[in-house]
Amino acid sequence: MTTNDVSNQNDTQEQAAGIPEEEIQRLIQALHENALRALRFKFEEDQVDGQVLNHEVYGPIFTYKIEVKDGGHKYACGFFMRELLHTFQNNEDPALWMSSFFLDLMDAGGERLLPMPPQSEDEAKALIDNIIVPYCAKAIREEFPDEQVHVDLDLNEQHGAVLEAGFTSISDGNNVCALPLHMLIAHHLLNRDPAEPIIQGLYRIREEHGLE
């Protein structure tokens, strides 16, 4: 089993070790301003705001809110520093990539601000058991309708509790992708699809085995 590398969002913090704090802050500010410009370019008639919060586990979290001019509905979405860095360094159209998350929220209908974080372990467990895991299992199996996909909770020595998914038809080599439960919650709280990184990992597994 391998754990999807999205689980290591705090790699950015480790890589930043030894870099002067002033340089890190300039990088964060530049990323934030680039992201704002990208979203304002795509949503030029709407109001776009954003802020950067420092999470003790994931480092800087970049959150943005769009208030649609027609109708006044508000939509919010968050991004990890690592993925924003990668996008602005490697993606030919970062604005298109960022805007796609908001367009998905808008297509779903209604207003979508960031969810309230669970206030206790019981609330976090209920969020995992009743909302996130059932949704992920359904989304993963719908993505691969012609495959028998194993989806279940497991305990990983390095990452703790994880949701793992894999193809039962693949018996040799790596056939499972896993994501820590805390990362599933983080994606949910940022209005991001928690199933997406697992689905991406499963596609990589299929490519490794020559199935794509």
Side-chain angles (χ1 to χ4, degrees), residues 40-83:
R40 285 169 178 164
F41 172 73
K42 289 294 186 179
F43 300 97
E44 55 184 356
E45 296 185 359
D46 306 317
Q47 181 177 336
V48 180
D49 298 302
Q51 61 178 332
V52 183
L53 306 173
N54 192 51
H55 192 280
E56 61 181 356
V57 176
Y58 308 119
I61 299 288
F62 298 72
T63 63
Y64 299 96
K65 182 177 67 177
I66 295 175
E67 184 173 354
V68 178
K69 181 179 180 181
D70 296 330
H73 283 165
K74 299 174 183 177
Y75 304 89
C77 189
F79 304 89
F80 300 101
M81 181 174 178
R82 181 186 182 190
E83 62 182 350

mmCIF file of all heavy atoms in Angstrom, residues 40-83:
data_model
loop_
_atom_site.group_PDB
_atom_site.id
_atom_site.type_symbol
_atom_site.label_atom_id
_atom_site.label_comp_id
_atom_site.label_asym_id
_atom_site.label_seq_id
_atom_site.Cartn_x
_atom_site.Cartn_y
_atom_site.Cartn_z
ATOM 1 N N ARG A 40 -9.793 37.224 -9.806
ATOM 2 C CA ARG A 40 -10.456 38.458 -10.245
ATOM 3 C C ARG A 40 -10.474 38.557 -11.760
ATOM 4 O O ARG A 40 -11.378 39.172 -12.338
ATOM 5 C CB ARG A 40 -9.760 39.667 -9.612
ATOM 6 C CG ARG A 40 -10.106 39.820 -8.133
ATOM 7 C CD ARG A 40 -9.249 40.834 -7.418
ATOM 8 N NE ARG A 40 -9.676 40.966 -6.015
ATOM 9 C CZ ARG A 40 -8.969 41.529 -5.053
ATOM 10 N NH1 ARG A 40 -7.763 42.024 -5.333
ATOM 11 N NH2 ARG A 40 -9.444 41.602 -3.834
ATOM 12 N N PHE A 41 -9.502 37.938 -12.416
ATOM 13 C CA PHE A 41 -9.494 37.901 -13.874
ATOM 14 C C PHE A 41 -10.650 37.046 -14.386
ATOM 15 O O PHE A 41 -11.318 37.394 -15.367
ATOM 16 C CB PHE A 41 -8.159 37.344 -14.369
ATOM 17 C CG PHE A 41 -8.114 37.091 -15.841
ATOM 18 C CD1 PHE A 41 -8.037 38.136 -16.749
ATOM 19 C CD2 PHE A 41 -8.166 35.783 -16.332
ATOM 20 C CE1 PHE A 41 -8.005 37.897 -18.123
ATOM 21 C CE2 PHE A 41 -8.137 35.537 -17.701
ATOM 22 C CZ PHE A 41 -8.062 36.597 -18.596
ATOM 23 N N LYS A 42 -10.904 35.914 -13.719
ATOM 24 C CA LYS A 42 -11.959 35.000 -14.152
ATOM 25 C C LYS A 42 -13.347 35.467 -13.719
ATOM 26 O O LYS A 42 -14.349 35.160 -14.370
ATOM 27 C CB LYS A 42 -11.706 33.592 -13.617
ATOM 28 C CG LYS A 42 -10.545 32.874 -14.282
ATOM 29 C CD LYS A 42 -10.855 32.586 -15.750
ATOM 30 C CE LYS A 42 -9.769 31.745 -16.387
ATOM 31 N NZ LYS A 42 -10.066 31.442 -17.813
ATOM 32 N N PHE A 43 -13.407 36.177 -12.597
ATOM 33 C CA PHE A 43 -14.695 36.642 -12.065
ATOM 34 C C PHE A 43 -14.670 38.166 -11.965
ATOM 35 O O PHE A 43 -14.877 38.739 -10.889
ATOM 36 C CB PHE A 43 -14.974 36.002 -10.704
ATOM 37 C CG PHE A 43 -15.027 34.501 -10.734
ATOM 38 C CD1 PHE A 43 -13.912 33.744 -10.397
ATOM 39 C CD2 PHE A 43 -16.182 33.829 -11.121
ATOM 40 C CE1 PHE A 43 -13.949 32.354 -10.424
ATOM 41 C CE2 PHE A 43 -16.226 32.438 -11.154
ATOM 42 C CZ PHE A 43 -15.107 31.705 -10.810
ATOM 43 N N GLU A 44 -14.428 38.818 -13.081
ATOM 44 C CA GLU A 44 -14.180 40.260 -13.093
ATOM 45 C C GLU A 44 -15.400 41.075 -12.683
ATOM 46 O O GLU A 44 -15.260 42.221 -12.234
ATOM 47 C CB GLU A 44 -13.677 40.712 -14.464
ATOM 48 C CG GLU A 44 -14.587 40.341 -15.622
ATOM 49 C CD GLU A 44 -13.982 40.739 -16.960
ATOM 50 O OE1 GLU A 44 -12.908 41.362 -16.937
ATOM 51 O OE2 GLU A 44 -14.564 40.411 -17.996
ATOM 52 N N GLU A 45 -16.593 40.546 -12.834
ATOM 53 C CA GLU A 45 -17.794 41.286 -12.459
ATOM 54 C C GLU A 45 -18.220 41.022 -11.024
ATOM 55 O O GLU A 45 -19.154 41.662 -10.529
ATOM 56 C CB GLU A 45 -18.939 40.928 -13.413
ATOM 57 C CG GLU A 45 -18.684 41.349 -14.861
ATOM 58 C CD GLU A 45 -19.880 41.081 -15.743
ATOM 59 O OE1 GLU A 45 -20.886 40.549 -15.234
ATOM 60 O OE2 GLU A 45 -19.818 41.416 -16.938
ATOM 61 N N ASP A 46 -17.574 40.102 -10.360
ATOM 62 C CA ASP A 46 -17.946 39.729 -8.998
ATOM 63 C C ASP A 46 -16.909 40.245 -7.996
ATOM 64 O O ASP A 46 -15.817 40.672 -8.368
ATOM 65 C CB ASP A 46 -18.064 38.208 -8.886
ATOM 66 C CG ASP A 46 -19.020 37.631 -9.926
ATOM 67 O OD1 ASP A 46 -20.093 38.221 -10.121
ATOM 68 O OD2 ASP A 46 -18.678 36.594 -10.534
ATOM 69 N N GLN A 47 -17.269 40.191 -6.728
ATOM 70 C CA GLN A 47 -16.351 40.617 -5.668
ATOM 71 C C GLN A 47 -15.544 39.424 -5.179
ATOM 72 O O GLN A 47 -16.104 38.410 -4.770
ATOM 73 C CB GLN A 47 -17.117 41.241 -4.501
ATOM 74 C CG GLN A 47 -16.214 41.724 -3.373
ATOM 75 C CD GLN A 47 -16.982 42.403 -2.260
ATOM 76 O OE1 GLN A 47 -18.083 42.914 -2.470
ATOM 77 N NE2 GLN A 47 -16.406 42.415 -1.061
ATOM 78 N N VAL A 48 -14.228 39.564 -5.215
ATOM 79 C CA VAL A 48 -13.333 38.480 -4.799
ATOM 80 C C VAL A 48 -12.479 38.955 -3.631
ATOM 81 O O VAL A 48 -11.809 39.988 -3.713
ATOM 82 C CB VAL A 48 -12.418 38.025 -5.950
ATOM 83 C CG1 VAL A 48 -11.502 36.897 -5.491
ATOM 84 C CG2 VAL A 48 -13.242 37.589 -7.161
ATOM 85 N N ASP A 49 -12.514 38.220 -2.539
ATOM 86 C CA ASP A 49 -11.701 38.523 -1.359
ATOM 87 C C ASP A 49 -10.969 37.259 -0.931
ATOM 88 O O ASP A 49 -11.350 36.148 -1.293
ATOM 89 C CB ASP A 49 -12.574 39.034 -0.199
ATOM 90 C CG ASP A 49 -13.293 40.316 -0.544
ATOM 91 O OD1 ASP A 49 -12.607 41.306 -0.875
ATOM 92 O OD2 ASP A 49 -14.543 40.334 -0.496
ATOM 93 N N GLY A 50 -9.924 37.439 -0.130
ATOM 94 C CA GLY A 50 -9.189 36.270 0.341
ATOM 95 C C GLY A 50 -8.344 36.580 1.549
ATOM 96 O O GLY A 50 -8.116 37.749 1.893
ATOM 97 N N GLN A 51 -7.902 35.541 2.191
ATOM 98 C CA GLN A 51 -7.006 35.691 3.332
ATOM 99 C C GLN A 51 -6.143 34.451 3.465
ATOM 100 O O GLN A 51 -6.455 33.403 2.899
ATOM 101 C CB GLN A 51 -7.796 35.926 4.624
ATOM 102 C CG GLN A 51 -8.725 34.786 4.998
ATOM 103 C CD GLN A 51 -9.464 35.027 6.301
ATOM 104 O OE1 GLN A 51 -8.972 35.743 7.177
ATOM 105 N NE2 GLN A 51 -10.652 34.445 6.440
ATOM 106 N N VAL A 52 -5.055 34.585 4.210
ATOM 107 C CA VAL A 52 -4.143 33.468 4.463
ATOM 108 C C VAL A 52 -4.150 33.175 5.950
ATOM 109 O O VAL A 52 -3.917 34.067 6.772
ATOM 110 C CB VAL A 52 -2.712 33.792 3.997
ATOM 111 C CG1 VAL A 52 -1.811 32.570 4.203
ATOM 112 C CG2 VAL A 52 -2.699 34.221 2.540
ATOM 113 N N LEU A 53 -4.419 31.925 6.295
ATOM 114 C CA LEU A 53 -4.416 31.487 7.681
ATOM 115 C C LEU A 53 -3.296 30.480 7.871
ATOM 116 O O LEU A 53 -2.994 29.695 6.963
ATOM 117 C CB LEU A 53 -5.756 30.846 8.045
ATOM 118 C CG LEU A 53 -7.008 31.681 7.773
ATOM 119 C CD1 LEU A 53 -8.260 30.849 8.019
ATOM 120 C CD2 LEU A 53 -7.010 32.923 8.652
ATOM 121 N N ASN A 54 -2.677 30.476 9.030
ATOM 122 C CA ASN A 54 -1.593 29.527 9.297
ATOM 123 C C ASN A 54 -2.115 28.375 10.133
ATOM 124 O O ASN A 54 -2.523 28.554 11.276
ATOM 125 C CB ASN A 54 -0.433 30.211 10.014
ATOM 126 C CG ASN A 54 0.801 29.316 10.038
ATOM 127 O OD1 ASN A 54 1.227 28.811 9.006
ATOM 128 N ND2 ASN A 54 1.374 29.113 11.208
ATOM 129 N N HIS A 55 -2.132 27.192 9.544
ATOM 130 C CA HIS A 55 -2.606 25.997 10.238
ATOM 131 C C HIS A 55 -1.417 25.291 10.878
ATOM 132 O O HIS A 55 -0.358 25.168 10.265
ATOM 133 C CB HIS A 55 -3.303 25.070 9.242
ATOM 134 C CG HIS A 55 -4.071 23.965 9.883
ATOM 135 N ND1 HIS A 55 -3.478 22.813 10.349
ATOM 136 C CD2 HIS A 55 -5.394 23.833 10.137
ATOM 137 C CE1 HIS A 55 -4.387 22.020 10.855
ATOM 138 N NE2 HIS A 55 -5.576 22.610 10.739
ATOM 139 N N GLU A 56 -1.607 24.784 12.084
ATOM 140 C CA GLU A 56 -0.489 24.187 12.814
ATOM 141 C C GLU A 56 0.019 22.914 12.162
ATOM 142 O O GLU A 56 1.192 22.551 12.337
ATOM 143 C CB GLU A 56 -0.911 23.890 14.265
ATOM 144 C CG GLU A 56 -2.074 22.919 14.398
ATOM 145 C CD GLU A 56 -2.451 22.685 15.859
ATOM 146 O OE1 GLU A 56 -1.755 23.230 16.736
ATOM 147 O OE2 GLU A 56 -3.430 21.949 16.104
ATOM 148 N N VAL A 57 -0.811 22.234 11.384
ATOM 149 C CA VAL A 57 -0.392 20.999 10.711
ATOM 150 C C VAL A 57 -0.040 21.252 9.249
ATOM 151 O O VAL A 57 0.992 20.800 8.757
ATOM 152 C CB VAL A 57 -1.500 19.920 10.801
ATOM 153 C CG1 VAL A 57 -1.100 18.676 10.008
ATOM 154 C CG2 VAL A 57 -1.773 19.562 12.257
ATOM 155 N N TYR A 58 -0.888 21.993 8.542
ATOM 156 C CA TYR A 58 -0.743 22.135 7.092
ATOM 157 C C TYR A 58 -0.011 23.402 6.667
ATOM 158 O O TYR A 58 0.239 23.593 5.476
ATOM 159 C CB TYR A 58 -2.118 22.117 6.423
ATOM 160 C CG TYR A 58 -2.956 20.934 6.842
ATOM 161 C CD1 TYR A 58 -4.177 21.109 7.485
ATOM 162 C CD2 TYR A 58 -2.510 19.634 6.617
ATOM 163 C CE1 TYR A 58 -4.939 20.025 7.881
ATOM 164 C CE2 TYR A 58 -3.259 18.547 7.017
ATOM 165 C CZ TYR A 58 -4.472 18.751 7.652
ATOM 166 O OH TYR A 58 -5.205 17.672 8.048
ATOM 167 N N GLY A 59 0.330 24.259 7.619
ATOM 168 C CA GLY A 59 1.001 25.497 7.249
ATOM 169 C C GLY A 59 0.021 26.511 6.701
ATOM 170 O O GLY A 59 -1.164 26.494 7.040
ATOM 171 N N PRO A 60 0.470 27.415 5.822
ATOM 172 C CA PRO A 60 -0.426 28.454 5.288
ATOM 173 C C PRO A 60 -1.584 27.850 4.482
ATOM 174 O O PRO A 60 -1.377 27.007 3.614
ATOM 175 C CB PRO A 60 0.493 29.287 4.380
ATOM 176 C CG PRO A 60 1.871 29.026 4.894
ATOM 177 C CD PRO A 60 1.864 27.604 5.353
ATOM 178 N N ILE A 61 -2.787 28.285 4.799
ATOM 179 C CA ILE A 61 -3.990 27.912 4.062
ATOM 180 C C ILE A 61 -4.543 29.177 3.405
ATOM 181 O O ILE A 61 -4.772 30.186 4.074
ATOM 182 C CB ILE A 61 -5.059 27.310 4.994
ATOM 183 C CG1 ILE A 61 -4.536 26.038 5.667
ATOM 184 C CG2 ILE A 61 -6.345 27.035 4.222
ATOM 185 C CD1 ILE A 61 -4.408 24.856 4.763
ATOM 186 N N PHE A 62 -4.749 29.118 2.115
ATOM 187 C CA PHE A 62 -5.217 30.273 1.350
ATOM 188 C C PHE A 62 -6.708 30.093 1.071
ATOM 189 O O PHE A 62 -7.100 29.150 0.373
ATOM 190 C CB PHE A 62 -4.448 30.380 0.030
ATOM 191 C CG PHE A 62 -2.970 30.597 0.193
ATOM 192 C CD1 PHE A 62 -2.137 29.578 0.650
ATOM 193 C CD2 PHE A 62 -2.399 31.819 -0.119
ATOM 194 C CE1 PHE A 62 -0.772 29.776 0.796
ATOM 195 C CE2 PHE A 62 -1.027 32.027 0.015
ATOM 196 C CZ PHE A 62 -0.225 31.004 0.479
ATOM 197 N N THR A 63 -7.534 30.967 1.617
ATOM 198 C CA THR A 63 -8.976 30.855 1.404
ATOM 199 C C THR A 63 -9.479 32.079 0.643
ATOM 200 O O THR A 63 -9.031 33.208 0.892
ATOM 201 C CB THR A 63 -9.738 30.730 2.732
ATOM 202 O OG1 THR A 63 -9.545 31.908 3.522
ATOM 203 C CG2 THR A 63 -9.254 29.505 3.514
ATOM 204 N N TYR A 64 -10.418 31.831 -0.272
ATOM 205 C CA TYR A 64 -10.950 32.901 -1.109
ATOM 206 C C TYR A 64 -12.468 32.815 -1.160
ATOM 207 O O TYR A 64 -13.038 31.713 -1.115
ATOM 208 C CB TYR A 64 -10.362 32.821 -2.525
ATOM 209 C CG TYR A 64 -8.858 32.981 -2.495
ATOM 210 C CD1 TYR A 64 -8.033 31.851 -2.477
ATOM 211 C CD2 TYR A 64 -8.267 34.233 -2.404
ATOM 212 C CE1 TYR A 64 -6.660 31.980 -2.394
ATOM 213 C CE2 TYR A 64 -6.898 34.370 -2.325
ATOM 214 C CZ TYR A 64 -6.102 33.248 -2.315
ATOM 215 O OH TYR A 64 -4.734 33.379 -2.219
ATOM 216 N N LYS A 65 -13.094 33.988 -1.249
ATOM 217 C CA LYS A 65 -14.561 34.071 -1.293
ATOM 218 C C LYS A 65 -14.973 34.916 -2.484
ATOM 219 O O LYS A 65 -14.402 35.987 -2.723
ATOM 220 C CB LYS A 65 -15.099 34.684 -0.003
ATOM 221 C CG LYS A 65 -16.621 34.769 0.057
ATOM 222 C CD LYS A 65 -17.087 35.319 1.396
ATOM 223 C CE LYS A 65 -16.685 36.770 1.577
ATOM 224 N NZ LYS A 65 -17.180 37.350 2.833
ATOM 225 N N ILE A 66 -15.939 34.427 -3.217
ATOM 226 C CA ILE A 66 -16.487 35.151 -4.359
ATOM 227 C C ILE A 66 -17.949 35.461 -4.085
ATOM 228 O O ILE A 66 -18.740 34.554 -3.778
ATOM 229 C CB ILE A 66 -16.356 34.325 -5.653
ATOM 230 C CG1 ILE A 66 -14.881 34.129 -6.003
ATOM 231 C CG2 ILE A 66 -17.096 35.007 -6.809
ATOM 232 C CD1 ILE A 66 -14.645 33.220 -7.191
ATOM 233 N N GLU A 67 -18.307 36.737 -4.157
ATOM 234 C CA GLU A 67 -19.702 37.160 -4.028
ATOM 235 C C GLU A 67 -20.201 37.519 -5.423
ATOM 236 O O GLU A 67 -19.722 38.474 -6.034
ATOM 237 C CB GLU A 67 -19.844 38.349 -3.089
ATOM 238 C CG GLU A 67 -21.288 38.759 -2.867
ATOM 239 C CD GLU A 67 -21.458 39.831 -1.791
ATOM 240 O OE1 GLU A 67 -20.437 40.173 -1.142
ATOM 241 O OE2 GLU A 67 -22.581 40.301 -1.602
ATOM 242 N N VAL A 68 -21.130 36.725 -5.909
ATOM 243 C CA VAL A 68 -21.620 36.894 -7.276
ATOM 244 C C VAL A 68 -22.479 38.141 -7.372
ATOM 245 O O VAL A 68 -23.365 38.373 -6.541
ATOM 246 C CB VAL A 68 -22.419 35.647 -7.720
ATOM 247 C CG1 VAL A 68 -22.966 35.838 -9.127
ATOM 248 C CG2 VAL A 68 -21.532 34.418 -7.657
ATOM 249 N N LYS A 69 -22.215 38.939 -8.377
ATOM 250 C CA LYS A 69 -22.931 40.197 -8.551
ATOM 251 C C LYS A 69 -24.425 39.970 -8.749
ATOM 252 O O LYS A 69 -25.254 40.637 -8.135
ATOM 253 C CB LYS A 69 -22.351 40.952 -9.745
ATOM 254 C CG LYS A 69 -23.011 42.303 -10.014
ATOM 255 C CD LYS A 69 -22.367 43.001 -11.202
ATOM 256 C CE LYS A 69 -23.023 44.348 -11.475
ATOM 257 N NZ LYS A 69 -22.419 45.028 -12.646
ATOM 258 N N ASP A 70 -24.775 39.022 -9.613
ATOM 259 C CA ASP A 70 -26.185 38.722 -9.876
ATOM 260 C C ASP A 70 -26.666 37.652 -8.908
ATOM 261 O O ASP A 70 -26.286 36.489 -9.008
ATOM 262 C CB ASP A 70 -26.365 38.231 -11.321
ATOM 263 C CG ASP A 70 -26.009 39.309 -12.337
ATOM 264 O OD1 ASP A 70 -26.179 40.502 -12.016
ATOM 265 O OD2 ASP A 70 -25.536 38.953 -13.432
ATOM 266 N N GLY A 71 -27.471 38.044 -7.973
ATOM 267 C CA GLY A 71 -28.015 37.100 -7.001
ATOM 268 C C GLY A 71 -27.398 37.209 -5.624
ATOM 269 O O GLY A 71 -28.024 36.855 -4.632
ATOM 270 N N GLY A 72 -26.148 37.683 -5.561
ATOM 271 C CA GLY A 72 -25.520 37.909 -4.272
ATOM 272 C C GLY A 72 -25.059 36.667 -3.543
ATOM 273 O O GLY A 72 -24.643 36.745 -2.390
ATOM 274 N N HIS A 73 -25.098 35.510 -4.193
ATOM 275 C CA HIS A 73 -24.637 34.297 -3.532
ATOM 276 C C HIS A 73 -23.120 34.351 -3.322
ATOM 277 O O HIS A 73 -22.385 34.898 -4.141
ATOM 278 C CB HIS A 73 -24.993 33.063 -4.349
ATOM 279 C CG HIS A 73 -26.433 32.676 -4.224
ATOM 280 N ND1 HIS A 73 -27.048 31.802 -5.093
ATOM 281 C CD2 HIS A 73 -27.388 33.046 -3.338
ATOM 282 C CE1 HIS A 73 -28.304 31.633 -4.740
ATOM 283 N NE2 HIS A 73 -28.533 32.384 -3.682
ATOM 284 N N LYS A 74 -22.679 33.739 -2.208
ATOM 285 C CA LYS A 74 -21.255 33.722 -1.876
ATOM 286 C C LYS A 74 -20.730 32.293 -1.916
ATOM 287 O O LYS A 74 -21.417 31.346 -1.506
ATOM 288 C CB LYS A 74 -21.034 34.316 -0.483
ATOM 289 C CG LYS A 74 -21.490 35.765 -0.356
ATOM 290 C CD LYS A 74 -21.376 36.254 1.075
ATOM 291 C CE LYS A 74 -21.899 37.682 1.211
ATOM 292 N NZ LYS A 74 -21.870 38.162 2.614
ATOM 293 N N TYR A 75 -19.500 32.170 -2.417
ATOM 294 C CA TYR A 75 -18.860 30.858 -2.530
ATOM 295 C C TYR A 75 -17.435 30.973 -2.003
ATOM 296 O O TYR A 75 -16.725 31.918 -2.336
ATOM 297 C CB TYR A 75 -18.848 30.395 -3.983
ATOM 298 C CG TYR A 75 -20.226 30.347 -4.600
ATOM 299 C CD1 TYR A 75 -20.756 31.468 -5.232
ATOM 300 C CD2 TYR A 75 -20.996 29.197 -4.529
ATOM 301 C CE1 TYR A 75 -22.032 31.436 -5.793
ATOM 302 C CE2 TYR A 75 -22.270 29.155 -5.081
ATOM 303 C CZ TYR A 75 -22.784 30.279 -5.707
ATOM 304 O OH TYR A 75 -24.039 30.244 -6.245
ATOM 305 N N ALA A 76 -17.030 30.004 -1.191
ATOM 306 C CA ALA A 76 -15.686 30.037 -0.604
ATOM 307 C C ALA A 76 -14.970 28.713 -0.847
ATOM 308 O O ALA A 76 -15.592 27.646 -0.883
ATOM 309 C CB ALA A 76 -15.756 30.327 0.893
ATOM 310 N N CYS A 77 -13.659 28.815 -1.009
ATOM 311 C CA CYS A 77 -12.854 27.615 -1.257
ATOM 312 C C CYS A 77 -11.444 27.869 -0.743
ATOM 313 O O CYS A 77 -10.983 29.018 -0.732
ATOM 314 C CB CYS A 77 -12.824 27.311 -2.756
ATOM 315 S SG CYS A 77 -12.082 25.726 -3.193
ATOM 316 N N GLY A 78 -10.759 26.822 -0.304
ATOM 317 C CA GLY A 78 -9.424 26.981 0.245
ATOM 318 C C GLY A 78 -8.402 26.109 -0.473
ATOM 319 O O GLY A 78 -8.742 25.092 -1.084
ATOM 320 N N PHE A 79 -7.140 26.521 -0.360
ATOM 321 C CA PHE A 79 -6.050 25.831 -1.050
ATOM 322 C C PHE A 79 -4.846 25.715 -0.122
ATOM 323 O O PHE A 79 -4.566 26.614 0.676
ATOM 324 C CB PHE A 79 -5.647 26.595 -2.314
ATOM 325 C CG PHE A 79 -6.775 26.829 -3.267
ATOM 326 C CD1 PHE A 79 -7.575 27.954 -3.162
ATOM 327 C CD2 PHE A 79 -7.054 25.900 -4.260
ATOM 328 C CE1 PHE A 79 -8.636 28.172 -4.040
ATOM 329 C CE2 PHE A 79 -8.100 26.100 -5.153
ATOM 330 C CZ PHE A 79 -8.895 27.244 -5.030
ATOM 331 N N PHE A 80 -4.104 24.622 -0.277
ATOM 332 C CA PHE A 80 -2.867 24.433 0.459
ATOM 333 C C PHE A 80 -1.730 25.156 -0.264
ATOM 334 O O PHE A 80 -1.733 25.262 -1.491
ATOM 335 C CB PHE A 80 -2.529 22.945 0.570
ATOM 336 C CG PHE A 80 -3.573 22.133 1.266
ATOM 337 C CD1 PHE A 80 -4.476 21.353 0.550
ATOM 338 C CD2 PHE A 80 -3.658 22.130 2.655
ATOM 339 C CE1 PHE A 80 -5.440 20.601 1.183
ATOM 340 C CE2 PHE A 80 -4.619 21.378 3.312
ATOM 341 C CZ PHE A 80 -5.521 20.618 2.568
ATOM 342 N N MET A 81 -0.754 25.597 0.494
ATOM 343 C CA MET A 81 0.361 26.341 -0.102
ATOM 344 C C MET A 81 1.103 25.484 -1.129
ATOM 345 O O MET A 81 1.485 25.977 -2.200
ATOM 346 C CB MET A 81 1.325 26.814 0.986
ATOM 347 C CG MET A 81 2.496 27.622 0.457
ATOM 348 S SD MET A 81 3.507 28.285 1.807
ATOM 349 C CE MET A 81 4.798 29.112 0.857
ATOM 350 N N ARG A 82 1.298 24.222 -0.808
ATOM 351 C CA ARG A 82 2.056 23.343 -1.692
ATOM 352 C C ARG A 82 1.415 23.261 -3.075
ATOM 353 O O ARG A 82 2.095 23.316 -4.102
ATOM 354 C CB ARG A 82 2.147 21.956 -1.069
ATOM 355 C CG ARG A 82 2.923 20.941 -1.883
ATOM 356 C CD ARG A 82 2.817 19.574 -1.251
ATOM 357 N NE ARG A 82 3.596 18.578 -1.970
ATOM 358 C CZ ARG A 82 3.520 17.280 -1.748
ATOM 359 N NH1 ARG A 82 2.692 16.833 -0.835
ATOM 360 N NH2 ARG A 82 4.262 16.428 -2.424
ATOM 361 N N GLU A 83 0.075 23.120 -3.122
ATOM 362 C CA GLU A 83 -0.576 22.968 -4.419
ATOM 363 C C GLU A 83 -0.629 24.281 -5.181
ATOM 364 O O GLU A 83 -0.552 24.288 -6.414
ATOM 365 C CB GLU A 83 -1.968 22.373 -4.250
ATOM 366 C CG GLU A 83 -2.932 23.218 -3.449
ATOM 367 C CD GLU A 83 -4.273 22.539 -3.278
ATOM 368 O OE1 GLU A 83 -4.516 21.506 -3.938
ATOM 369 O OE2 GLU A 83 -5.094 23.030 -2.491
#
